[in-house]
PDB file of all heavy atoms in Angstrom:
ATOM      1  N   MET A   1      13.703 -22.260  -6.827  1.00 59.00           N
ATOM      2  CA  MET A   1      13.777 -20.862  -6.397  1.00 59.00           C
ATOM      3  C   MET A   1      12.465 -20.512  -5.714  1.00 59.00           C
ATOM      4  O   MET A   1      11.402 -20.682  -6.273  1.00 59.00           O
ATOM      5  CB  MET A   1      13.961 -20.014  -7.673  1.00 59.00           C
ATOM      6  CG  MET A   1      14.505 -18.690  -7.414  1.00 59.00           C
ATOM      7  SD  MET A   1      16.209 -18.414  -7.890  1.00 59.00           S
ATOM      8  CE  MET A   1      16.257 -18.780  -9.608  1.00 59.00           C
ATOM      9  N   SER A   2      12.524 -20.038  -4.464  1.00 73.00           N
ATOM     10  CA  SER A   2      11.266 -19.768  -3.769  1.00 73.00           C
ATOM     11  C   SER A   2      10.553 -18.614  -4.447  1.00 73.00           C
ATOM     12  O   SER A   2       9.377 -18.672  -4.735  1.00 73.00           O
ATOM     13  CB  SER A   2      11.507 -19.445  -2.304  1.00 73.00           C
ATOM     14  OG  SER A   2      12.158 -18.210  -2.163  1.00 73.00           O
ATOM     15  N   GLU A 110     -13.351  -9.828 -24.571  1.00 96.00           N
ATOM     16  CA  GLU A 110     -14.321 -10.723 -23.944  1.00 96.00           C
ATOM     17  C   GLU A 110     -13.872 -12.172 -23.985  1.00 96.00           C
ATOM     18  O   GLU A 110     -13.208 -12.606 -24.926  1.00 96.00           O
ATOM     19  CB  GLU A 110     -15.680 -10.583 -24.633  1.00 96.00           C
ATOM     20  CG  GLU A 110     -16.429  -9.383 -24.099  1.00 96.00           C
ATOM     21  CD  GLU A 110     -17.901  -9.380 -24.484  1.00 96.00           C
ATOM     22  OE1 GLU A 110     -18.438 -10.442 -24.866  1.00 96.00           O
ATOM     23  OE2 GLU A 110     -18.505  -8.298 -24.409  1.00 96.00           O
ATOM     24  N   GLY A 113     -18.036 -17.575 -24.312  1.00 92.00           N
ATOM     25  CA  GLY A 113     -18.728 -18.543 -23.462  1.00 92.00           C
ATOM     26  C   GLY A 113     -19.049 -18.007 -22.084  1.00 92.00           C
ATOM     27  O   GLY A 113     -19.565 -18.730 -21.240  1.00 92.00           O
ATOM     28  N   THR A 114     -18.715 -16.745 -21.839  1.00 96.00           N
ATOM     29  CA  THR A 114     -19.081 -16.152 -20.546  1.00 96.00           C
ATOM     30  C   THR A 114     -20.119 -15.069 -20.797  1.00 96.00           C
ATOM     31  O   THR A 114     -20.390 -14.705 -21.933  1.00 96.00           O
ATOM     32  CB  THR A 114     -17.876 -15.504 -19.842  1.00 96.00           C
ATOM     33  OG1 THR A 114     -17.454 -14.358 -20.610  1.00 96.00           O
ATOM     34  CG2 THR A 114     -16.741 -16.474 -19.692  1.00 96.00           C
ATOM     35  N   ASN A 115     -20.645 -14.562 -19.731  1.00 96.00           N
ATOM     36  CA  ASN A 115     -21.646 -13.510 -19.824  1.00 96.00           C
ATOM     37  C   ASN A 115     -20.970 -12.142 -19.802  1.00 96.00           C
ATOM     38  O   ASN A 115     -21.130 -11.378 -18.861  1.00 96.00           O
ATOM     39  CB  ASN A 115     -22.633 -13.661 -18.668  1.00 96.00           C
ATOM     40  CG  ASN A 115     -23.785 -12.679 -18.792  1.00 96.00           C
ATOM     41  OD1 ASN A 115     -23.987 -12.074 -19.850  1.00 96.00           O
ATOM     42  ND2 ASN A 115     -24.530 -12.505 -17.712  1.00 96.00           N
ATOM     43  N   PRO A 151     -25.212 -12.399 -11.183  1.00 95.00           N
ATOM     44  CA  PRO A 151     -25.787 -13.608 -10.594  1.00 95.00           C
ATOM     45  C   PRO A 151     -24.815 -14.784 -10.656  1.00 95.00           C
ATOM     46  O   PRO A 151     -24.756 -15.585  -9.733  1.00 95.00           O
ATOM     47  CB  PRO A 151     -27.024 -13.873 -11.449  1.00 95.00           C
ATOM     48  CG  PRO A 151     -27.308 -12.606 -12.155  1.00 95.00           C
ATOM     49  CD  PRO A 151     -26.030 -11.841 -12.267  1.00 95.00           C
ATOM     50  N   ASN A 152     -24.104 -14.911 -11.762  1.00 95.00           N
ATOM     51  CA  ASN A 152     -23.169 -16.028 -11.898  1.00 95.00           C
ATOM     52  C   ASN A 152     -21.736 -15.550 -12.104  1.00 95.00           C
ATOM     53  O   ASN A 152     -20.889 -16.289 -12.568  1.00 95.00           O
ATOM     54  CB  ASN A 152     -23.561 -16.901 -13.095  1.00 95.00           C
ATOM     55  CG  ASN A 152     -24.945 -17.468 -12.939  1.00 95.00           C
ATOM     56  OD1 ASN A 152     -25.250 -18.071 -11.924  1.00 95.00           O
ATOM     57  ND2 ASN A 152     -25.795 -17.233 -13.918  1.00 95.00           N
ATOM     58  N   LYS A 196     -21.643  -8.889  -0.332  1.00 97.00           N
ATOM     59  CA  LYS A 196     -21.355  -9.608  -1.570  1.00 97.00           C
ATOM     60  C   LYS A 196     -20.037  -9.130  -2.161  1.00 97.00           C
ATOM     61  O   LYS A 196     -19.205  -9.916  -2.609  1.00 97.00           O
ATOM     62  CB  LYS A 196     -22.512  -9.376  -2.551  1.00 97.00           C
ATOM     63  CG  LYS A 196     -22.303  -9.972  -3.916  1.00 97.00           C
ATOM     64  CD  LYS A 196     -22.492 -11.460  -3.890  1.00 97.00           C
ATOM     65  CE  LYS A 196     -22.107 -12.076  -5.221  1.00 97.00           C
ATOM     66  NZ  LYS A 196     -23.111 -12.896  -5.829  1.00 97.00           N
ATOM     67  N   GLU A 202     -12.596 -10.987  -1.604  1.00 98.00           N
ATOM     68  CA  GLU A 202     -11.730 -11.939  -0.901  1.00 98.00           C
ATOM     69  C   GLU A 202     -11.390 -13.115  -1.801  1.00 98.00           C
ATOM     70  O   GLU A 202     -10.248 -13.589  -1.839  1.00 98.00           O
ATOM     71  CB  GLU A 202     -12.393 -12.405   0.396  1.00 98.00           C
ATOM     72  CG  GLU A 202     -12.423 -11.303   1.451  1.00 98.00           C
ATOM     73  CD  GLU A 202     -13.256 -11.642   2.677  1.00 98.00           C
ATOM     74  OE1 GLU A 202     -13.445 -12.850   2.961  1.00 98.00           O
ATOM     75  OE2 GLU A 202     -13.712 -10.701   3.357  1.00 98.00           O
ATOM     76  N   LYS A 210      -2.468 -16.616  -5.028  1.00 98.00           N
ATOM     77  CA  LYS A 210      -2.086 -17.991  -5.382  1.00 98.00           C
ATOM     78  C   LYS A 210      -1.343 -17.972  -6.709  1.00 98.00           C
ATOM     79  O   LYS A 210      -0.291 -18.607  -6.876  1.00 98.00           O
ATOM     80  CB  LYS A 210      -3.348 -18.848  -5.501  1.00 98.00           C
ATOM     81  CG  LYS A 210      -3.072 -20.280  -5.916  1.00 98.00           C
ATOM     82  CD  LYS A 210      -2.336 -21.025  -4.817  1.00 98.00           C
ATOM     83  CE  LYS A 210      -2.334 -22.516  -5.011  1.00 98.00           C
ATOM     84  NZ  LYS A 210      -1.541 -22.994  -6.136  1.00 98.00           N
ATOM     85  N   ASN A 213       2.123 -16.447  -6.367  1.00 97.00           N
ATOM     86  CA  ASN A 213       3.035 -17.392  -5.722  1.00 97.00           C
ATOM     87  C   ASN A 213       3.456 -18.487  -6.693  1.00 97.00           C
ATOM     88  O   ASN A 213       4.620 -18.867  -6.749  1.00 97.00           O
ATOM     89  CB  ASN A 213       2.382 -18.025  -4.492  1.00 97.00           C
ATOM     90  CG  ASN A 213       2.116 -17.005  -3.399  1.00 97.00           C
ATOM     91  OD1 ASN A 213       2.707 -15.944  -3.373  1.00 97.00           O
ATOM     92  ND2 ASN A 213       1.217 -17.332  -2.479  1.00 97.00           N
ATOM     93  N   GLU A 220       7.656  -8.696  -2.223  1.00 98.00           N
ATOM     94  CA  GLU A 220       8.204  -7.443  -1.681  1.00 98.00           C
ATOM     95  C   GLU A 220       8.399  -6.403  -2.778  1.00 98.00           C
ATOM     96  O   GLU A 220       8.574  -5.224  -2.490  1.00 98.00           O
ATOM     97  CB  GLU A 220       9.545  -7.697  -0.978  1.00 98.00           C
ATOM     98  CG  GLU A 220       9.462  -8.533   0.294  1.00 98.00           C
ATOM     99  CD  GLU A 220       9.518 -10.041   0.040  1.00 98.00           C
ATOM    100  OE1 GLU A 220       9.331 -10.472  -1.117  1.00 98.00           O
ATOM    101  OE2 GLU A 220       9.749 -10.784   1.002  1.00 98.00           O
ATOM    102  N   GLN A 252      -6.869  -7.962   5.130  1.00 97.00           N
ATOM    103  CA  GLN A 252      -6.229  -8.748   6.191  1.00 97.00           C
ATOM    104  C   GLN A 252      -6.336 -10.236   5.892  1.00 97.00           C
ATOM    105  O   GLN A 252      -5.478 -11.029   6.267  1.00 97.00           O
ATOM    106  CB  GLN A 252      -6.892  -8.469   7.540  1.00 97.00           C
ATOM    107  CG  GLN A 252      -6.530  -7.156   8.158  1.00 97.00           C
ATOM    108  CD  GLN A 252      -7.364  -6.854   9.393  1.00 97.00           C
ATOM    109  OE1 GLN A 252      -8.446  -7.413   9.569  1.00 97.00           O
ATOM    110  NE2 GLN A 252      -6.868  -5.982  10.249  1.00 97.00           N
ATOM    111  N   ARG A 253      -7.432 -10.604   5.214  1.00 97.00           N
ATOM    112  CA  ARG A 253      -7.655 -12.028   4.967  1.00 97.00           C
ATOM    113  C   ARG A 253      -6.915 -12.539   3.751  1.00 97.00           C
ATOM    114  O   ARG A 253      -6.859 -13.742   3.531  1.00 97.00           O
ATOM    115  CB  ARG A 253      -9.160 -12.276   4.782  1.00 97.00           C
ATOM    116  CG  ARG A 253      -9.931 -12.148   6.069  1.00 97.00           C
ATOM    117  CD  ARG A 253     -11.426 -12.238   5.841  1.00 97.00           C
ATOM    118  NE  ARG A 253     -12.134 -12.327   7.105  1.00 97.00           N
ATOM    119  CZ  ARG A 253     -13.461 -12.370   7.201  1.00 97.00           C
ATOM    120  NH1 ARG A 253     -14.209 -12.331   6.125  1.00 97.00           N
ATOM    121  NH2 ARG A 253     -14.021 -12.446   8.399  1.00 97.00           N
ATOM    122  N   VAL A 255      -4.004 -10.416   1.829  1.00 98.00           N
ATOM    123  CA  VAL A 255      -2.759  -9.821   1.349  1.00 98.00           C
ATOM    124  C   VAL A 255      -1.619 -10.048   2.332  1.00 98.00           C
ATOM    125  O   VAL A 255      -1.647  -9.533   3.441  1.00 98.00           O
ATOM    126  CB  VAL A 255      -2.925  -8.306   1.091  1.00 98.00           C
ATOM    127  CG1 VAL A 255      -1.659  -7.727   0.468  1.00 98.00           C
ATOM    128  CG2 VAL A 255      -4.124  -8.048   0.201  1.00 98.00           C
ATOM    129  N   PRO A 256      -0.609 -10.825   1.925  1.00 98.00           N
ATOM    130  CA  PRO A 256       0.510 -11.084   2.829  1.00 98.00           C
ATOM    131  C   PRO A 256       1.244  -9.798   3.207  1.00 98.00           C
ATOM    132  O   PRO A 256       1.289  -8.850   2.423  1.00 98.00           O
ATOM    133  CB  PRO A 256       1.427 -11.995   2.007  1.00 98.00           C
ATOM    134  CG  PRO A 256       0.575 -12.562   0.932  1.00 98.00           C
ATOM    135  CD  PRO A 256      -0.439 -11.508   0.632  1.00 98.00           C
ATOM    136  N   ALA A 257       1.839  -9.810   4.395  1.00 98.00           N
ATOM    137  CA  ALA A 257       2.536  -8.626   4.910  1.00 98.00           C
ATOM    138  C   ALA A 257       3.738  -8.237   4.059  1.00 98.00           C
ATOM    139  O   ALA A 257       4.206  -7.102   4.139  1.00 98.00           O
ATOM    140  CB  ALA A 257       2.980  -8.880   6.351  1.00 98.00           C
ATOM    141  N   ALA A 258       4.233  -9.169   3.236  1.00 98.00           N
ATOM    142  CA  ALA A 258       5.402  -8.858   2.412  1.00 98.00           C
ATOM    143  C   ALA A 258       5.087  -7.783   1.370  1.00 98.00           C
ATOM    144  O   ALA A 258       6.005  -7.116   0.875  1.00 98.00           O
ATOM    145  CB  ALA A 258       5.906 -10.108   1.702  1.00 98.00           C
ATOM    146  N   LYS A 287      -4.840  -4.584  12.383  1.00 95.00           N
ATOM    147  CA  LYS A 287      -3.582  -5.017  11.786  1.00 95.00           C
ATOM    148  C   LYS A 287      -3.491  -4.554  10.333  1.00 95.00           C
ATOM    149  O   LYS A 287      -4.275  -4.979   9.500  1.00 95.00           O
ATOM    150  CB  LYS A 287      -3.471  -6.541  11.857  1.00 95.00           C
ATOM    151  CG  LYS A 287      -3.201  -7.017  13.263  1.00 95.00           C
ATOM    152  CD  LYS A 287      -2.825  -8.478  13.300  1.00 95.00           C
ATOM    153  CE  LYS A 287      -4.029  -9.394  13.226  1.00 95.00           C
ATOM    154  NZ  LYS A 287      -3.617 -10.793  13.508  1.00 95.00           N
TER     155      LYS A 287
ATOM    156  N   SER B  13     -25.153 -18.608 -18.814  1.00 38.00           N
ATOM    157  CA  SER B  13     -23.716 -18.561 -19.018  1.00 38.00           C
ATOM    158  C   SER B  13     -23.225 -19.560 -20.053  1.00 38.00           C
ATOM    159  O   SER B  13     -22.085 -19.565 -20.407  1.00 38.00           O
ATOM    160  CB  SER B  13     -22.985 -18.804 -17.687  1.00 38.00           C
ATOM    161  OG  SER B  13     -23.437 -20.009 -17.126  1.00 38.00           O
ATOM    162  N   PHE B  22     -25.748 -16.842 -28.309  1.00 37.00           N
ATOM    163  CA  PHE B  22     -25.117 -16.205 -27.159  1.00 37.00           C
ATOM    164  C   PHE B  22     -25.071 -14.693 -27.311  1.00 37.00           C
ATOM    165  O   PHE B  22     -24.168 -14.124 -27.889  1.00 37.00           O
ATOM    166  CB  PHE B  22     -23.702 -16.754 -26.990  1.00 37.00           C
ATOM    167  CG  PHE B  22     -23.099 -16.289 -25.712  1.00 37.00           C
ATOM    168  CD1 PHE B  22     -23.570 -16.794 -24.507  1.00 37.00           C
ATOM    169  CD2 PHE B  22     -22.111 -15.323 -25.682  1.00 37.00           C
ATOM    170  CE1 PHE B  22     -23.047 -16.350 -23.311  1.00 37.00           C
ATOM    171  CE2 PHE B  22     -21.588 -14.872 -24.493  1.00 37.00           C
ATOM    172  CZ  PHE B  22     -22.058 -15.390 -23.314  1.00 37.00           C
ATOM    173  N   GLN B  24     -26.477 -12.815 -24.473  1.00 38.00           N
ATOM    174  CA  GLN B  24     -26.899 -12.270 -23.177  1.00 38.00           C
ATOM    175  C   GLN B  24     -25.926 -11.237 -22.641  1.00 38.00           C
ATOM    176  O   GLN B  24     -24.733 -11.400 -22.686  1.00 38.00           O
ATOM    177  CB  GLN B  24     -27.002 -13.375 -22.125  1.00 38.00           C
ATOM    178  CG  GLN B  24     -28.338 -14.071 -22.131  1.00 38.00           C
ATOM    179  CD  GLN B  24     -28.262 -15.416 -22.796  1.00 38.00           C
ATOM    180  OE1 GLN B  24     -27.294 -15.685 -23.488  1.00 38.00           O
ATOM    181  NE2 GLN B  24     -29.262 -16.231 -22.601  1.00 38.00           N
ATOM    182  N   ARG B  25     -26.508 -10.242 -22.064  1.00 39.00           N
ATOM    183  CA  ARG B  25     -25.769  -9.284 -21.235  1.00 39.00           C
ATOM    184  C   ARG B  25     -26.210  -9.561 -19.807  1.00 39.00           C
ATOM    185  O   ARG B  25     -27.101 -10.349 -19.581  1.00 39.00           O
ATOM    186  CB  ARG B  25     -26.141  -7.845 -21.603  1.00 39.00           C
ATOM    187  CG  ARG B  25     -25.664  -7.424 -22.966  1.00 39.00           C
ATOM    188  CD  ARG B  25     -24.239  -6.950 -22.922  1.00 39.00           C
ATOM    189  NE  ARG B  25     -23.377  -7.772 -23.749  1.00 39.00           N
ATOM    190  CZ  ARG B  25     -22.050  -7.704 -23.684  1.00 39.00           C
ATOM    191  NH1 ARG B  25     -21.478  -6.893 -22.846  1.00 39.00           N
ATOM    192  NH2 ARG B  25     -21.324  -8.455 -24.456  1.00 39.00           N
ATOM    193  N   ARG B  37     -29.119 -19.851 -10.674  1.00 41.00           N
ATOM    194  CA  ARG B  37     -28.511 -20.226  -9.412  1.00 41.00           C
ATOM    195  C   ARG B  37     -27.552 -19.096  -9.028  1.00 41.00           C
ATOM    196  O   ARG B  37     -26.593 -18.837  -9.723  1.00 41.00           O
ATOM    197  CB  ARG B  37     -27.765 -21.540  -9.592  1.00 41.00           C
ATOM    198  CG  ARG B  37     -26.890 -21.931  -8.438  1.00 41.00           C
ATOM    199  CD  ARG B  37     -27.712 -22.244  -7.194  1.00 41.00           C
ATOM    200  NE  ARG B  37     -26.838 -22.523  -6.081  1.00 41.00           N
ATOM    201  CZ  ARG B  37     -26.549 -23.747  -5.644  1.00 41.00           C
ATOM    202  NH1 ARG B  37     -27.076 -24.791  -6.225  1.00 41.00           N
ATOM    203  NH2 ARG B  37     -25.740 -23.930  -4.643  1.00 41.00           N
ATOM    204  N   VAL B  39     -24.613 -17.169  -7.245  1.00 36.00           N
ATOM    205  CA  VAL B  39     -23.350 -17.489  -6.581  1.00 36.00           C
ATOM    206  C   VAL B  39     -23.532 -17.102  -5.128  1.00 36.00           C
ATOM    207  O   VAL B  39     -23.672 -15.927  -4.812  1.00 36.00           O
ATOM    208  CB  VAL B  39     -22.177 -16.709  -7.213  1.00 36.00           C
ATOM    209  CG1 VAL B  39     -20.910 -16.909  -6.401  1.00 36.00           C
ATOM    210  CG2 VAL B  39     -21.963 -17.150  -8.648  1.00 36.00           C
ATOM    211  N   ARG B  44     -20.325 -18.988   6.339  1.00 55.00           N
ATOM    212  CA  ARG B  44     -19.404 -18.921   7.468  1.00 55.00           C
ATOM    213  C   ARG B  44     -19.955 -19.762   8.596  1.00 55.00           C
ATOM    214  O   ARG B  44     -21.134 -20.039   8.682  1.00 55.00           O
ATOM    215  CB  ARG B  44     -19.251 -17.470   7.924  1.00 55.00           C
ATOM    216  CG  ARG B  44     -18.789 -16.539   6.851  1.00 55.00           C
ATOM    217  CD  ARG B  44     -17.411 -16.894   6.363  1.00 55.00           C
ATOM    218  NE  ARG B  44     -16.871 -15.855   5.509  1.00 55.00           N
ATOM    219  CZ  ARG B  44     -15.761 -15.953   4.821  1.00 55.00           C
ATOM    220  NH1 ARG B  44     -15.060 -17.035   4.881  1.00 55.00           N
ATOM    221  NH2 ARG B  44     -15.337 -14.965   4.071  1.00 55.00           N
ATOM    222  N   GLU B 238      11.862 -22.593   0.068  1.00 97.00           N
ATOM    223  CA  GLU B 238      11.140 -22.805  -1.179  1.00 97.00           C
ATOM    224  C   GLU B 238       9.943 -23.736  -0.964  1.00 97.00           C
ATOM    225  O   GLU B 238       8.828 -23.469  -1.406  1.00 97.00           O
ATOM    226  CB  GLU B 238      12.130 -23.437  -2.161  1.00 97.00           C
ATOM    227  CG  GLU B 238      11.666 -23.475  -3.578  1.00 97.00           C
ATOM    228  CD  GLU B 238      12.753 -24.045  -4.494  1.00 97.00           C
ATOM    229  OE1 GLU B 238      13.737 -24.618  -3.988  1.00 97.00           O
ATOM    230  OE2 GLU B 238      12.590 -23.901  -5.696  1.00 97.00           O
ATOM    231  N   GLU B 241       7.209 -22.141   1.261  1.00 98.00           N
ATOM    232  CA  GLU B 241       6.384 -21.152   0.556  1.00 98.00           C
ATOM    233  C   GLU B 241       5.356 -21.841  -0.328  1.00 98.00           C
ATOM    234  O   GLU B 241       4.205 -21.409  -0.426  1.00 98.00           O
ATOM    235  CB  GLU B 241       7.268 -20.212  -0.263  1.00 98.00           C
ATOM    236  CG  GLU B 241       8.027 -19.230   0.620  1.00 98.00           C
ATOM    237  CD  GLU B 241       8.859 -18.246  -0.158  1.00 98.00           C
ATOM    238  OE1 GLU B 241       8.894 -18.339  -1.396  1.00 98.00           O
ATOM    239  OE2 GLU B 241       9.492 -17.383   0.480  1.00 98.00           O
ATOM    240  N   SER B 245       1.336 -21.606   0.413  1.00 98.00           N
ATOM    241  CA  SER B 245       0.534 -21.002  -0.643  1.00 98.00           C
ATOM    242  C   SER B 245      -0.660 -21.898  -0.957  1.00 98.00           C
ATOM    243  O   SER B 245      -1.804 -21.431  -1.059  1.00 98.00           O
ATOM    244  CB  SER B 245       1.400 -20.813  -1.889  1.00 98.00           C
ATOM    245  OG  SER B 245       0.609 -20.347  -2.949  1.00 98.00           O
ATOM    246  N   PHE B 258     -10.365 -16.876   8.642  1.00 97.00           N
ATOM    247  CA  PHE B 258      -8.978 -16.802   9.081  1.00 97.00           C
ATOM    248  C   PHE B 258      -8.793 -16.207  10.466  1.00 97.00           C
ATOM    249  O   PHE B 258      -7.805 -16.508  11.128  1.00 97.00           O
ATOM    250  CB  PHE B 258      -8.133 -16.007   8.068  1.00 97.00           C
ATOM    251  CG  PHE B 258      -7.939 -16.721   6.758  1.00 97.00           C
ATOM    252  CD1 PHE B 258      -7.396 -16.065   5.680  1.00 97.00           C
ATOM    253  CD2 PHE B 258      -8.308 -18.053   6.604  1.00 97.00           C
ATOM    254  CE1 PHE B 258      -7.209 -16.714   4.459  1.00 97.00           C
ATOM    255  CE2 PHE B 258      -8.140 -18.711   5.395  1.00 97.00           C
ATOM    256  CZ  PHE B 258      -7.587 -18.036   4.324  1.00 97.00           C
ATOM    257  N   GLU B 259      -9.761 -15.379  10.911  1.00 97.00           N
ATOM    258  CA  GLU B 259      -9.633 -14.831  12.265  1.00 97.00           C
ATOM    259  C   GLU B 259      -9.852 -15.918  13.317  1.00 97.00           C
ATOM    260  O   GLU B 259      -9.605 -15.703  14.500  1.00 97.00           O
ATOM    261  CB  GLU B 259     -10.650 -13.695  12.479  1.00 97.00           C
ATOM    262  CG  GLU B 259     -10.387 -12.431  11.661  1.00 97.00           C
ATOM    263  CD  GLU B 259     -10.977 -12.469  10.263  1.00 97.00           C
ATOM    264  OE1 GLU B 259     -11.442 -13.553   9.815  1.00 97.00           O
ATOM    265  OE2 GLU B 259     -10.978 -11.423   9.592  1.00 97.00           O
ATOM    266  N   LYS B 292       5.800 -13.682   6.223  1.00 97.00           N
ATOM    267  CA  LYS B 292       5.346 -12.411   5.648  1.00 97.00           C
ATOM    268  C   LYS B 292       4.897 -12.594   4.209  1.00 97.00           C
ATOM    269  O   LYS B 292       4.053 -11.858   3.718  1.00 97.00           O
ATOM    270  CB  LYS B 292       6.447 -11.361   5.716  1.00 97.00           C
ATOM    271  CG  LYS B 292       6.653 -10.839   7.112  1.00 97.00           C
ATOM    272  CD  LYS B 292       7.632  -9.692   7.164  1.00 97.00           C
ATOM    273  CE  LYS B 292       7.773  -9.224   8.599  1.00 97.00           C
ATOM    274  NZ  LYS B 292       9.101  -8.723   8.909  1.00 97.00           N
ATOM    275  N   ARG B 293       5.456 -13.594   3.545  1.00 98.00           N
ATOM    276  CA  ARG B 293       5.057 -13.805   2.154  1.00 98.00           C
ATOM    277  C   ARG B 293       3.799 -14.648   2.024  1.00 98.00           C
ATOM    278  O   ARG B 293       3.211 -14.714   0.938  1.00 98.00           O
ATOM    279  CB  ARG B 293       6.182 -14.509   1.384  1.00 98.00           C
ATOM    280  CG  ARG B 293       7.352 -13.625   1.104  1.00 98.00           C
ATOM    281  CD  ARG B 293       8.475 -14.391   0.437  1.00 98.00           C
ATOM    282  NE  ARG B 293       9.542 -13.473   0.054  1.00 98.00           N
ATOM    283  CZ  ARG B 293      10.714 -13.867  -0.425  1.00 98.00           C
ATOM    284  NH1 ARG B 293      10.966 -15.149  -0.589  1.00 98.00           N
ATOM    285  NH2 ARG B 293      11.634 -12.977  -0.742  1.00 98.00           N
ATOM    286  N   ARG B 294       3.401 -15.332   3.075  1.00 98.00           N
ATOM    287  CA  ARG B 294       2.327 -16.299   2.914  1.00 98.00           C
ATOM    288  C   ARG B 294       1.166 -16.165   3.883  1.00 98.00           C
ATOM    289  O   ARG B 294       0.065 -16.626   3.584  1.00 98.00           O
ATOM    290  CB  ARG B 294       2.873 -17.740   3.007  1.00 98.00           C
ATOM    291  CG  ARG B 294       3.777 -18.130   1.859  1.00 98.00           C
ATOM    292  CD  ARG B 294       3.033 -18.122   0.540  1.00 98.00           C
ATOM    293  NE  ARG B 294       3.864 -18.526  -0.576  1.00 98.00           N
ATOM    294  CZ  ARG B 294       4.516 -17.688  -1.369  1.00 98.00           C
ATOM    295  NH1 ARG B 294       4.439 -16.391  -1.184  1.00 98.00           N
ATOM    296  NH2 ARG B 294       5.260 -18.151  -2.365  1.00 98.00           N
ATOM    297  N   PRO B 296      -1.772 -14.331   5.737  1.00 97.00           N
ATOM    298  CA  PRO B 296      -2.569 -13.108   5.819  1.00 97.00           C
ATOM    299  C   PRO B 296      -2.614 -12.582   7.248  1.00 97.00           C
ATOM    300  O   PRO B 296      -2.684 -13.371   8.191  1.00 97.00           O
ATOM    301  CB  PRO B 296      -3.965 -13.569   5.380  1.00 97.00           C
ATOM    302  CG  PRO B 296      -3.757 -14.825   4.629  1.00 97.00           C
ATOM    303  CD  PRO B 296      -2.559 -15.472   5.253  1.00 97.00           C
ATOM    304  N   PRO B 297      -2.574 -11.271   7.403  1.00 96.00           N
ATOM    305  CA  PRO B 297      -2.581 -10.675   8.744  1.00 96.00           C
ATOM    306  C   PRO B 297      -3.802 -11.045   9.583  1.00 96.00           C
ATOM    307  O   PRO B 297      -3.756 -10.936  10.801  1.00 96.00           O
ATOM    308  CB  PRO B 297      -2.566  -9.166   8.456  1.00 96.00           C
ATOM    309  CG  PRO B 297      -1.963  -9.049   7.109  1.00 96.00           C
ATOM    310  CD  PRO B 297      -2.381 -10.265   6.352  1.00 96.00           C
ATOM    311  N   ALA B 298      -4.885 -11.512   8.938  1.00 97.00           N
ATOM    312  CA  ALA B 298      -6.090 -11.855   9.704  1.00 97.00           C
ATOM    313  C   ALA B 298      -5.850 -13.031  10.652  1.00 97.00           C
ATOM    314  O   ALA B 298      -6.577 -13.201  11.635  1.00 97.00           O
ATOM    315  CB  ALA B 298      -7.242 -12.189   8.760  1.00 97.00           C
ATOM    316  N   PRO B 327       2.879  -9.005  12.578  1.00 91.00           N
ATOM    317  CA  PRO B 327       1.427  -8.820  12.404  1.00 91.00           C
ATOM    318  C   PRO B 327       0.589  -9.918  13.057  1.00 91.00           C
ATOM    319  O   PRO B 327      -0.625  -9.836  13.098  1.00 91.00           O
ATOM    320  CB  PRO B 327       1.223  -8.856  10.888  1.00 91.00           C
ATOM    321  CG  PRO B 327       2.567  -8.782  10.282  1.00 91.00           C
ATOM    322  CD  PRO B 327       3.557  -9.256  11.295  1.00 91.00           C
TER     323      PRO B 327
END
Side-chain angles (χ1 to χ4, degrees):
Chain A
M1 200 107 57
S2 69
E110 278 194 18
T114 67
N115 186 14
N152 300 308
K196 176 75 187 234
E202 289 171 24
K210 178 68 166 69
N213 295 340
E220 293 86 345
Q252 285 172 339
R253 288 173 171 178
V255 185
K287 287 191 280 190
Chain B
S13 54
F22 189 71
Q24 274 103 344
R25 291 276 118 192
R37 170 66 184 259
V39 173
R44 303 297 191 188
E238 192 177 13
E241 287 183 358
S245 175
F258 291 170
E259 292 86 350
K292 286 186 180 148
R293 287 176 174 173
R294 293 297 182 265

